Amino acid sequence: MTTTDQPIDHASVQNQMTQGHSPELDQLYKDFAAEHLNPLWTQLDDLMPEHPAPKAVPHVWKWSRLYELAKRSGDLVPVGRGGERRAIGLANPGLGGRPYVSPTLWAAIQYLGGKETAPEHRHAQNAFRFVVEGEGVWTVVNGDPVRMSRGDLLLTPGWNFHGHHNETDQPMAWIDGLDIPFSYQNDVGFFEYGSERVTDYATPNFSRGERLWCHPGLRPLSGLQNTVSSPIGAYRWEFTDRALTEQLLLEDEGQPATVEQGHAAVRYVNPTTGGDVMPTIRAEFHRLRPGVETATRREVGSTVFQVFEGDGAVVIDGATHSLEKGDMFVIPSWVPWSLQAESRFDLFRFSDAPIMERLHFDRVHIDGGNR
Amino acid sequence: MTTTDQPIDHASVQNQMTQGHSPELDQLYKDFAAEHLNPLWTQLDDLMPEHPAPKAVPHVWKWSRLYELAKRSGDLVPVGRGGERRAIGLANPGLGGRPYVSPTLWAAIQYLGGKETAPEHRHAQNAFRFVVEGEGVWTVVNGDPVRMSRGDLLLTPGWNFHGHHNETDQPMAWIDGLDIPFSYQNDVGFFEYGSERVTDYATPNFSRGERLWCHPGLRPLSGLQNTVSSPIGAYRWEFTDRALTEQLLLEDEGQPATVEQGHAAVRYVNPTTGGDVMPTIRAEFHRLRPGVETATRREVGSTVFQVFEGDGAVVIDGATHSLEKGDMFVIPSWVPWSLQAESRFDLFRFSDAPIMERLHFDRVHIDGGNR
Amino acid sequence: MTTTDQPIDHASVQNQMTQGHSPELDQLYKDFAAEHLNPLWTQLDDLMPEHPAPKAVPHVWKWSRLYELAKRSGDLVPVGRGGERRAIGLANPGLGGRPYVSPTLWAAIQYLGGKETAPEHRHAQNAFRFVVEGEGVWTVVNGDPVRMSRGDLLLTPGWNFHGHHNETDQPMAWIDGLDIPFSYQNDVGFFEYGSERVTDYATPNFSRGERLWCHPGLRPLSGLQNTVSSPIGAYRWEFTDRALTEQLLLEDEGQPATVEQGHAAVRYVNPTTGGDVMPTIRAEFHRLRPGVETATRREVGSTVFQVFEGDGAVVIDGATHSLEKGDMFVIPSWVPWSLQAESRFDLFRFSDAPIMERLHFDRVHIDGGNR
Amino acid sequence: MTTTDQPIDHASVQNQMTQGHSPELDQLYKDFAAEHLNPLWTQLDDLMPEHPAPKAVPHVWKWSRLYELAKRSGDLVPVGRGGERRAIGLANPGLGGRPYVSPTLWAAIQYLGGKETAPEHRHAQNAFRFVVEGEGVWTVVNGDPVRMSRGDLLLTPGWNFHGHHNETDQPMAWIDGLDIPFSYQNDVGFFEYGSERVTDYATPNFSRGERLWCHPGLRPLSGLQNTVSSPIGAYRWEFTDRALTEQLLLEDEGQPATVEQGHAAVRYVNPTTGGDVMPTIRAEFHRLRPGVETATRREVGSTVFQVFEGDGAVVIDGATHSLEKGDMFVIPSWVPWSLQAESRFDLFRFSDAPIMERLHFDRVHIDGGNR
């Protein structure tokens, strides 16, 4: 199990293998192409790098710009059957203009004008919404109307019908997260149109899923079968905020509760299993005390953050990016990053970690501790 | 795989096998005994009945009597190191005076006088407390003080140090449930004394475990490792009551939420897995609307109920037993039972179902529907 | 989490709690009895010992005696419907004459005369047979005839119909292992008679289960559903012997393969899960090189061995018992034991370890290493 | 949950959303591009099709051509450090010349001349080899030399060092399967060079992994920890052939054993779990009786076959492709296919099914039965 001591000049070695340029070799490569073949030795470095070498790049999108463009879309582009959603995808600059925030994840700002309805449909792709500001929209998931308010995480797991309607005269915007790029790339997607309108225009404060499932440590006897995705349609801000507050208070009392000093965090989970909310997407919420800087981490898999409240920065691969409310950023696989809090700093996070863990590709490297 | 059409006269057959009463046969049985052997054919019916034939019998204990005797014990018997707890076990009349409410379960009323302390210890046996009335005691579990109030379920899973102290001048009584008979029978118990006093006399409203874990659908990132038993030390009545109320409201709205018409129920679960709170004990809370009668069920395994509030009855094996607040009753394995609610009828339930399910002995037979 | 420094004189403390002998106290204990109650403080030490204190004792049964008594039973006691089996249970001397080799396990020698048939039945109890010598009997499990030969482990998991028939003119004896005591104690047993004869008198060399499942690392596409118990009806000696031989050869080559120096061992497993063959019973085979002595172990749970071949001894709780082919012995919970090999020493082992592990009561303590 | 009755003219609807061609709209799209944004409504149909619409196409590669080109590579291209392997990847004609047989899978023919060595390395990507003909090469996996012979499946799960050496004077060719495209696309790959030579030139008939693990239903006590991938380095043809033979014999006896009439099949599994051999790749072997035609299936995920022996055809999306020994073909996601056997028809199969199942994207549709 020894490893070589000196770095290998791959280009040179591969040149040896390919560079003869003899007529026979030229003919061989022509024949490969004609037979739909492609030799490994000409492209090993690209295909099998020493560590993940993502084409996706780190990038920050400013909420002020996102919101302004979404608003203009609201004025110019109708929402309805066919286009389905007024959703504007974040297109990673390294991924050739495709609407992929990373190779696996879709992230978008969605905008719904006053009194508008986005029609119902369902798809194999898993989806969620997170609300950084505003209220007044209900999303109807398999007939269950779910209120959307600031700080809430709303789920529409694969193959659940869903539509949205704005009860107010004011527009509302939020972010959508899905596994569209992964599904597209691996040919797993199904899609079906539903009602042109939502199937229930009721506007209850709490969805039926919440009323059945949002009681800590209690499981309804009518729901003893485990489910692939969480039966909770909405994770309310009130609970998230309280959980984070308690972690920091416990830390003040000298108790183990936070992930690192000054850094509280919760994962949204499926109460039937304690695991991730959906099979492909992890969702978390992080809170830093003012002045805290997290340890620098690298992780296999890609992750997206949105600032929920507060000011701070993210250091990605050595470059510092200032952040304020609503700003979104993506960190590709194995790129080192850390967060810095100027004020109390609240961030929503989602990632493809369940994919990595279920397929046993997950690795984490933590460079150091807190300052 | 055919079965015989006519019933077998086992006694007669077995007589044939054993009744020769020849001198040779007599000598054989003597030699069996001398060699510590025991033939199957003389006792098959008893050892391997056609269905469970428990020696334990159904029985009801009245809370008024339990409480009165506990109170007298409080006057006459000190609590402290050695006896450890002023706990009075329910002794199933079929089990020969042993303090076993069933072959697997221990149930007791525990009584702690004003200002008294029950010293700390730990044991492999899994334990819980449920509070039908009163307040003022804190149980300290591995150093975490947990308030005990009416309607709360408190856990002390195996091998956690725990003690109790009464902060008030008034006595308090509650019930204890453990797997003592199972542990005793199968020789799995370990026991260790701890502090003569509790290790923390603080009286917080909420324990650290609750503050970290009682946020629905949220898991602390500092607690991603699954635990054998629930990390929640106290399941509060407020949450249980709300969950049951919502189930009945949803039923009123025509939504699937209850286990059967007019019968709401929750299971207390370990939030890290969605499964039972402890490896050997299941805990549930049931609420019936006035006038409801549940379907008659038989289940493998034994179960204990305590009436929390309201009036009604339990029909066990055809016999009806009237019930009021605090009354406790046991249903042995495979004995048919149903509940009848006169008023709104709230009951706490615990059982050995996790043992049966994990070892794949579980079976349920439901005779019919509601009236 | 401190523990007391000096040992507690429990008897004295408990005397204080109970010994007042005041008329009030006497009356209290009378009232307890009348109400079917039993206080903890009078019996804590017995019920909740500091470590498992089994009533079962270690014991060795000599195969020569077992076989001789079984043979005499064959002459004197018929086999047939009602008594069902000519099985003679090992009765642990500590368990009051009950046919329990331990609190959880039944072990017996079963004897079937030439041309005899033991009729079909099924039961919730899990069962196996192990053959220390002889051949000529087929056991028919759910209609699949399974040859029984020296060194084979045969399974009849819970609720599978099974009967046996002797194809030859010679008697045959083997051992049976079941979870009868556990099932009896916890009231989980069901029993149903089947055919008076076996349903298939064919005598194939290999059962259908083996032909479908006994190909290492290969799973039939017709059998992708996991099963609670192993679908393999017979684990053949040829495979067991080869596996043990290879482990010792690998050890000779300096490779990690044995559990400890000179001690090869395999566990029989369910190929659909890699776990134990049945939910309540673990089965293993151990081979020691001549001269090897295993480390002394204590384990929660009880275990039974049968010597398959060779001479040696077992040291149980400090006492050495010589062993030869066919001898059986039981080790109760938490009693220390080790094996000593005079010749190459082959032993079959079964235990209740799956119960302990699934309920998280398992603990192991290993005192030292090999000599 | 209604669905629209008449098909939607998406193009038309989307045109409405995008076609205004007002200067404001033009500016909006320009601003989207400048901000790295991409609206959903212009590309919904492509991104989220009604069912999987793979860019990959079905394709057949003839073994005679593959082998001839591999042989010419053997004459012209050296094997060694840098290029690492003389492996020629099958490039799906729909995937733009990339060496991807499907979006998730790599399939290649690898060729090693007499006395050649392919140096050791390891990578996060999971790999296997299957041998359609030839012998004389040993692959050394983490220091364990594994013989390669016709019909064998050899595993090199992620992050195991491995190299190959040809012991003979004759060249040998086999196929490699890996999850390279999946790993590349999702940025999960790690790669490390090992020894320039293999670390052990021994040529045992059976590897240590086989000697420890290839005993049906037996697990070494030294290997009780479950492993992510199978500990078996080689699945020998002898066992595979016997398992398939037995299934067809059992079918002849009227027993359930095959997946459909005349179609025997086994899945290669990890004996520690009963699940797939590696987290991302499923491997199976199928045998059809002469004249059998399988039911037409569609499955989410992509699959590759190689004919091992016999003549027949595959019908993919209605087109029939004749097949003979060594021919390889790929079936992209959700494309219908069935197999037809002229002679006895043996095929090796591998697929990305574990990815689909672990992420819950798996769906199967079976059109009909056998002819």
Side-chain angles (χ1 to χ4, degrees):
Chain A
M1 248 66 72
T2 66
T3 55
T4 54
D5 285 336
Q6 52 214 103
I8 291 162
D9 180 350
H10 311 124
S12 137
V13 177
Q14 291 181 4
N15 281 347
Q16 281 178 261
M17 296 183 80
T18 61
Q19 227 176 24
H21 286 310
S22 66
E24 292 83 358
L25 201 55
D26 288 347
Q27 187 58 42
L28 180 66
Y29 287 114
K30 276 184 204 149
D31 290 351
F32 282 162
E35 295 286 343
H36 299 293
L37 296 171
N38 195 333
L40 177 65
W41 57 82
T42 62
Q43 51 193 305
L44 176 68
D45 287 355
D46 175 48
L47 273 182
M48 301 181 81
E50 291 189 38
H51 56 72
K55 293 196 169 26
V57 296
H59 192 75
V60 179
W61 288 262
K62 302 299 288 179
W63 184 245
S64 53
R65 286 299 288 150
L66 290 176
Y67 192 85
E68 188 258 327
L69 285 162
K71 191 170 185 315
R72 280 165 57 196
S73 303
D75 297 335
L76 297 171
V77 182
V79 69
R81 179 59 80 224
E84 298 293 304
R85 298 291 183 263
R86 197 186 288 108
I88 308 161
L90 278 53
N92 190 296
L95 295 177
R98 296 288 289 170
Y100 298 169
V101 73
S102 84
T104 51
L105 297 171
W106 160 279
I109 179 169
Q110 187 174 156
Y111 186 92
L112 200 61
K115 299 297 180 192
E116 282 188 336
T117 292
E120 293 196 350
H121 60 218
R122 66 175 176 181
H123 39 69
Q125 290 85 351
N126 297 287
F128 73 82
R129 296 149 230 307
F130 179 77
V131 183
V132 72
E133 63 185 14
E135 61 183 347
V137 169
W138 269 254
T139 182
V140 182
V141 182
N142 268 344
D144 189 9
V146 188
R147 172 176 54 91
M148 298 176 66
S149 300
R150 170 163 160 80
D152 296 345
L153 172 71
L154 299 311
L155 301 185
T156 44
W159 217 234
N160 285 280
F161 277 111
H162 57 283
H164 320 302
H165 72 100
N166 189 336
E167 190 63 9
T168 73
D169 294 321
Q170 299 304 313
M172 183 176 168
W174 61 85
I175 66 164
D176 286 350
L178 289 95
D179 50 21
I180 291 176
F182 184 89
S183 297
Y184 180 83
Q185 181 65 26
N186 296 296
D187 301 318
V188 304
F190 291 81
F191 187 98
E192 190 176 324
Y193 291 104
S195 167
E196 303 272 330
R197 310 277 291 156
V198 296
T199 44
D200 188 339
Y201 276 87
T203 56
N205 259 330
F206 296 103
S207 61
R208 297 196 294 265
E210 289 167 84
R211 293 165 63 193
L212 206 47
W213 283 97
C214 282
H215 310 283
L218 300 177
R219 187 166 181 165
L221 254 67
S222 56
L224 294 180
Q225 206 71 28
N226 285 1
T227 53
V228 167
S229 294
S230 175
I232 299 178
Y235 292 75
R236 299 295 172 193
W237 171 243
E238 166 195 11
F239 296 128
T240 306
D241 183 42
R242 194 180 303 162
L244 298 165
T245 300
E246 289 288 2
Q247 286 186 18
L248 292 175
L249 286 171
L250 283 163
E251 188 183 82
D252 286 338
E253 298 167 22
Q255 298 295 337
T258 52
V259 268
E260 52 187 343
Q261 188 64 33
H263 178 184
V266 290
R267 183 170 295 169
Y268 301 93
V269 294
N270 175 350
T272 75
T273 62
D276 282 300
V277 286
M278 298 188 293
T280 54
I281 298 180
R282 172 163 297 165
E284 295 178 350
F285 201 101
H286 293 253
R287 172 171 292 172
L288 306 185
R289 293 183 194 269
V292 164
E293 177 171 348
T294 67
T296 297
R297 304 169 68 89
R298 295 163 184 259
E299 297 166 327
V300 168
S302 49
T303 195
V304 177
F305 281 89
Q306 184 179 34
V307 176
F308 181 67
E309 193 68 66
D311 296 302
V314 60
V315 183
I316 313 179
D317 215 0
T320 302
H321 307 264
S322 287
L323 299 167
E324 56 194 355
K325 179 175 164 179
D327 291 352
M328 300 180 69
F329 57 93
V330 62
I331 302 162
S333 187
W334 213 239
V335 174
W337 60 275
S338 67
L339 296 171
Q340 297 175 341
E342 197 170 322
S343 65
R344 192 179 88 175
F345 201 30
D346 277 7
L347 300 102
F348 171 77
R349 179 187 187 183
F350 71 101
S351 75
D352 57 12
I355 298 175
M356 301 307 147
E357 292 181 4
R358 287 166 190 231
L359 304 180
H360 295 275
F361 286 122
D362 56 306
R363 287 199 198 188
V364 178
H365 178 81
I366 301 180
D367 283 350
N370 294 357
R371 64 175 169 192
Chain B
M1 250 64 73
T2 66
T3 58
T4 56
D5 285 336
Q6 51 215 101
I8 292 162
D9 181 350
H10 310 124
S12 136
V13 176
Q14 291 182 6
N15 282 347
Q16 283 179 260
M17 297 181 81
T18 61
Q19 229 177 19
H21 285 311
S22 64
E24 292 84 357
L25 202 54
D26 288 346
Q27 187 59 42
L28 180 66
Y29 288 113
K30 276 184 204 151
D31 290 350
F32 281 162
E35 295 285 345
H36 298 294
L37 298 170
N38 195 334
L40 177 64
W41 56 84
T42 61
Q43 51 193 304
L44 177 67
D45 287 355
D46 175 50
L47 272 183
M48 301 180 82
E50 291 189 38
H51 55 72
K55 294 200 169 22
V57 296
H59 193 73
V60 179
W61 288 261
K62 304 299 290 179
W63 184 246
S64 52
R65 286 298 287 149
L66 290 176
Y67 192 84
E68 188 257 327
L69 286 162
K71 191 170 182 318
R72 281 166 54 197
S73 304
D75 296 336
L76 297 171
V77 181
V79 69
R81 180 57 80 223
E84 298 294 302
R85 298 290 183 262
R86 197 186 287 109
I88 308 162
L90 279 53
N92 192 296
L95 296 177
R98 297 288 290 170
Y100 298 171
V101 73
S102 84
T104 52
L105 297 172
W106 159 280
I109 179 169
Q110 186 175 157
Y111 186 92
L112 200 61
K115 298 296 180 193
E116 283 188 336
T117 291
E120 293 198 348
H121 60 216
R122 66 176 175 180
H123 39 69
Q125 290 86 349
N126 297 286
F128 73 81
R129 296 147 230 309
F130 178 76
V131 183
V132 73
E133 62 185 15
E135 60 184 348
V137 169
W138 269 253
T139 181
V140 182
V141 182
N142 268 344
D144 189 8
V146 188
R147 173 177 52 91
M148 297 176 66
S149 301
R150 171 162 158 80
D152 297 344
L153 172 72
L154 299 311
L155 302 184
T156 44
W159 217 235
N160 284 281
F161 276 110
H162 56 284
H164 320 303
H165 71 100
N166 188 337
E167 189 63 9
T168 74
D169 294 322
Q170 298 303 313
M172 183 176 167
W174 61 85
I175 66 165
D176 286 350
L178 290 95
D179 50 21
I180 291 176
F182 184 89
S183 297
Y184 180 82
Q185 181 64 28
N186 297 295
D187 300 318
V188 304
F190 290 82
F191 186 97
E192 189 176 324
Y193 292 104
S195 168
E196 302 272 329
R197 309 278 293 155
V198 297
T199 43
D200 188 339
Y201 276 87
T203 57
N205 260 330
F206 296 103
S207 61
R208 298 196 293 266
E210 290 167 84
R211 292 164 64 193
L212 206 46
W213 283 98
C214 283
H215 311 283
L218 300 177
R219 186 167 182 165
L221 254 67
S222 55
L224 295 179
Q225 206 71 26
N226 285 1
T227 53
V228 167
S229 295
S230 175
I232 299 178
Y235 292 76
R236 297 293 171 196
W237 171 242
E238 165 194 12
F239 296 129
T240 306
D241 183 43
R242 194 181 302 162
L244 298 165
T245 300
E246 289 289 1
Q247 286 187 17
L248 292 175
L249 286 171
L250 284 163
E251 187 184 83
D252 286 338
E253 297 168 23
Q255 299 294 337
T258 52
V259 267
E260 53 187 342
Q261 189 64 32
H263 178 182
V266 289
R267 183 170 297 168
Y268 300 93
V269 294
N270 175 348
T272 75
T273 62
D276 283 299
V277 285
M278 298 186 293
T280 53
I281 298 181
R282 172 163 298 164
E284 294 178 351
F285 202 101
H286 292 253
R287 171 172 291 173
L288 306 185
R289 292 183 196 270
V292 163
E293 177 171 349
T294 66
T296 297
R297 306 169 67 90
R298 294 166 184 258
E299 296 166 328
V300 168
S302 49
T303 195
V304 177
F305 281 88
Q306 183 179 35
V307 177
F308 181 67
E309 192 68 67
D311 297 301
V314 61
V315 184
I316 311 180
D317 214 0
T320 302
H321 307 264
S322 286
L323 298 168
E324 56 193 358
K325 179 174 164 181
D327 290 352
M328 300 182 69
F329 57 94
V330 62
I331 302 162
S333 187
W334 212 239
V335 174
W337 60 276
S338 68
L339 296 170
Q340 296 174 342
E342 198 170 321
S343 65
R344 192 180 90 175
F345 202 30
D346 276 9
L347 301 101
F348 172 76
R349 178 188 188 183
F350 70 100
S351 75
D352 58 12
I355 298 174
M356 302 306 147
E357 293 182 3
R358 286 166 190 230
L359 304 180
H360 295 276
F361 286 122
D362 56 306
R363 287 199 198 189
V364 179
H365 178 81
I366 301 180
D367 284 349
N370 293 359
R371 62 176 172 191
Chain C
M1 246 68 75
T2 67
T3 56
T4 55
D5 286 337
Q6 53 214 100
I8 291 164
D9 180 350
H10 309 124
S12 139
V13 176
Q14 290 181 6
N15 280 350
Q16 281 178 261
M17 296 183 80
T18 61
Q19 228 176 20
H21 284 313
S22 66
E24 290 84 359
L25 201 55
D26 288 349
Q27 187 59 41
L28 180 68
Y29 287 114
K30 276 182 204 154
D31 291 350
F32 281 161
E35 295 285 344
H36 298 294
L37 296 171
N38 196 333
L40 177 64
W41 57 85
T42 61
Q43 52 194 301
L44 177 68
D45 286 356
D46 175 49
L47 273 183
M48 301 181 82
E50 290 188 41
H51 56 71
K55 294 200 171 17
V57 297
H59 193 75
V60 178
W61 288 261
K62 302 300 289 179
W63 183 246
S64 53
R65 286 298 286 150
L66 289 176
Y67 191 84
E68 187 258 327
L69 286 163
K71 192 170 183 317
R72 279 165 56 197
S73 304
D75 297 336
L76 298 171
V77 182
V79 71
R81 180 58 80 223
E84 299 293 302
R85 299 290 183 264
R86 197 186 287 109
I88 307 161
L90 279 53
N92 191 297
L95 296 177
R98 298 287 290 168
Y100 298 171
V101 73
S102 83
T104 52
L105 297 171
W106 160 280
I109 179 170
Q110 187 175 156
Y111 186 92
L112 200 61
K115 298 297 180 192
E116 282 188 335
T117 292
E120 293 198 350
H121 60 217
R122 65 176 175 179
H123 39 69
Q125 289 86 347
N126 297 287
F128 73 82
R129 296 149 228 310
F130 179 76
V131 183
V132 73
E133 62 185 15
E135 59 183 349
V137 171
W138 269 254
T139 182
V140 182
V141 182
N142 269 343
D144 189 9
V146 188
R147 172 176 53 89
M148 296 176 66
S149 301
R150 170 163 159 79
D152 296 343
L153 172 72
L154 299 311
L155 301 185
T156 45
W159 217 233
N160 285 279
F161 276 111
H162 56 283
H164 320 302
H165 71 100
N166 189 336
E167 189 64 9
T168 74
D169 294 321
Q170 297 304 313
M172 180 175 170
W174 61 85
I175 66 164
D176 287 349
L178 290 95
D179 50 21
I180 291 177
F182 184 88
S183 297
Y184 180 81
Q185 180 65 28
N186 297 295
D187 301 317
V188 305
F190 291 82
F191 187 97
E192 191 176 322
Y193 291 105
S195 167
E196 303 271 330
R197 310 277 293 156
V198 298
T199 44
D200 189 339
Y201 276 87
T203 56
N205 259 330
F206 296 102
S207 61
R208 297 195 294 266
E210 290 168 85
R211 292 165 63 195
L212 207 45
W213 282 100
C214 281
H215 310 283
L218 301 176
R219 187 167 181 165
L221 255 66
S222 56
L224 295 180
Q225 206 72 26
N226 285 1
T227 52
V228 167
S229 294
S230 175
I232 298 178
Y235 292 77
R236 298 294 173 195
W237 170 243
E238 166 195 13
F239 296 128
T240 305
D241 183 43
R242 194 180 304 161
L244 297 165
T245 300
E246 288 289 1
Q247 286 186 19
L248 292 175
L249 286 171
L250 284 163
E251 187 183 84
D252 286 339
E253 298 168 24
Q255 298 295 336
T258 52
V259 269
E260 51 188 346
Q261 188 64 30
H263 178 184
V266 290
R267 183 170 296 169
Y268 301 93
V269 294
N270 175 349
T272 75
T273 62
D276 282 299
V277 286
M278 298 188 292
T280 53
I281 298 179
R282 172 163 298 165
E284 295 178 351
F285 202 100
H286 293 253
R287 171 172 293 173
L288 306 186
R289 294 183 193 268
V292 164
E293 176 171 351
T294 66
T296 297
R297 306 169 66 89
R298 294 165 184 257
E299 296 167 327
V300 168
S302 49
T303 195
V304 177
F305 282 88
Q306 184 178 33
V307 176
F308 181 68
E309 192 69 65
D311 296 301
V314 60
V315 183
I316 313 179
D317 214 1
T320 301
H321 308 263
S322 287
L323 298 168
E324 57 194 356
K325 179 174 164 179
D327 292 352
M328 301 180 69
F329 57 95
V330 61
I331 302 162
S333 187
W334 213 238
V335 174
W337 60 274
S338 68
L339 297 170
Q340 296 175 342
E342 198 169 323
S343 67
R344 190 179 90 175
F345 201 29
D346 277 7
L347 301 102
F348 171 76
R349 178 187 189 183
F350 70 102
S351 75
D352 57 13
I355 298 175
M356 301 307 147
E357 293 182 3
R358 286 166 191 231
L359 304 180
H360 295 276
F361 286 122
D362 56 306
R363 287 200 197 187
V364 178
H365 178 81
I366 302 180
D367 284 349
N370 294 358
R371 63 176 173 191
Chain D
M1 248 63 74
T2 68
T3 56
T4 54
D5 287 337
Q6 52 214 100
I8 291 164
D9 180 351
H10 311 123
S12 137
V13 176
Q14 290 180 6
N15 281 346
Q16 281 178 261
M17 296 182 80
T18 60
Q19 228 175 23
H21 284 314
S22 64
E24 291 84 358
L25 202 55
D26 287 348
Q27 187 59 41
L28 181 66
Y29 288 114
K30 275 182 204 151
D31 290 350
F32 281 161
E35 296 285 343
H36 298 294
L37 297 171
N38 196 334
L40 177 64
W41 56 84
T42 61
Q43 52 193 301
L44 177 68
D45 287 357
D46 175 47
L47 273 183
M48 301 180 81
E50 290 188 40
H51 56 72
K55 292 198 170 23
V57 297
H59 193 75
V60 178
W61 288 262
K62 303 300 289 178
W63 183 247
S64 54
R65 286 299 286 150
L66 289 176
Y67 191 85
E68 187 258 325
L69 286 163
K71 190 171 187 313
R72 280 165 56 197
S73 303
D75 297 336
L76 297 171
V77 181
V79 69
R81 179 58 81 224
E84 300 291 305
R85 298 292 183 261
R86 197 186 287 109
I88 307 161
L90 279 53
N92 191 295
L95 295 178
R98 297 288 288 171
Y100 299 170
V101 74
S102 84
T104 51
L105 297 171
W106 159 280
I109 179 170
Q110 186 174 157
Y111 185 93
L112 200 61
K115 298 296 182 194
E116 281 188 336
T117 292
E120 292 196 350
H121 61 216
R122 66 176 175 178
H123 39 69
Q125 290 86 347
N126 297 287
F128 72 83
R129 297 148 228 310
F130 180 76
V131 183
V132 73
E133 61 184 15
E135 60 183 349
V137 169
W138 270 256
T139 181
V140 182
V141 182
N142 268 345
D144 188 9
V146 187
R147 171 177 53 90
M148 297 176 66
S149 301
R150 169 162 159 80
D152 297 344
L153 171 72
L154 300 311
L155 302 186
T156 44
W159 218 234
N160 285 280
F161 277 109
H162 56 283
H164 320 302
H165 71 100
N166 189 337
E167 189 65 7
T168 74
D169 295 321
Q170 299 303 313
M172 181 176 169
W174 61 86
I175 66 165
D176 286 350
L178 290 94
D179 50 21
I180 291 176
F182 184 88
S183 297
Y184 180 81
Q185 181 64 26
N186 296 295
D187 302 318
V188 304
F190 291 81
F191 187 98
E192 190 176 324
Y193 291 104
S195 167
E196 302 272 330
R197 309 278 292 158
V198 298
T199 43
D200 188 341
Y201 276 88
T203 56
N205 260 330
F206 296 102
S207 61
R208 297 195 296 265
E210 291 167 84
R211 292 166 63 195
L212 205 46
W213 283 98
C214 282
H215 312 282
L218 300 177
R219 188 167 180 165
L221 254 67
S222 55
L224 294 180
Q225 206 72 27
N226 286 0
T227 53
V228 167
S229 295
S230 175
I232 299 177
Y235 292 77
R236 296 295 173 195
W237 171 243
E238 165 194 14
F239 296 128
T240 305
D241 182 43
R242 193 181 303 162
L244 298 165
T245 299
E246 289 289 1
Q247 286 186 18
L248 292 175
L249 287 171
L250 284 163
E251 188 183 81
D252 287 338
E253 298 167 22
Q255 298 295 336
T258 53
V259 270
E260 52 188 344
Q261 188 62 34
H263 177 184
V266 289
R267 183 170 297 168
Y268 301 93
V269 294
N270 176 348
T272 74
T273 63
D276 282 299
V277 285
M278 298 187 293
T280 54
I281 297 180
R282 172 164 297 166
E284 295 178 351
F285 201 101
H286 293 253
R287 171 173 291 173
L288 306 185
R289 292 181 194 270
V292 163
E293 177 172 348
T294 67
T296 297
R297 306 169 66 89
R298 293 165 184 259
E299 296 167 326
V300 168
S302 49
T303 195
V304 177
F305 281 88
Q306 184 178 35
V307 177
F308 182 68
E309 193 69 64
D311 296 301
V314 61
V315 185
I316 312 180
D317 214 1
T320 302
H321 308 264
S322 287
L323 298 168
E324 55 194 358
K325 178 174 164 179
D327 291 352
M328 300 180 71
F329 57 94
V330 62
I331 302 162
S333 188
W334 212 237
V335 174
W337 60 275
S338 68
L339 296 170
Q340 297 175 341
E342 198 169 323
S343 66
R344 190 180 88 174
F345 201 30
D346 276 7
L347 301 102
F348 171 77
R349 179 188 186 182
F350 71 101
S351 75
D352 57 12
I355 298 175
M356 301 306 147
E357 293 182 3
R358 286 165 191 233
L359 304 180
H360 296 275
F361 286 122
D362 56 307
R363 289 199 196 187
V364 178
H365 178 82
I366 301 179
D367 284 350
N370 295 357
R371 63 176 173 191

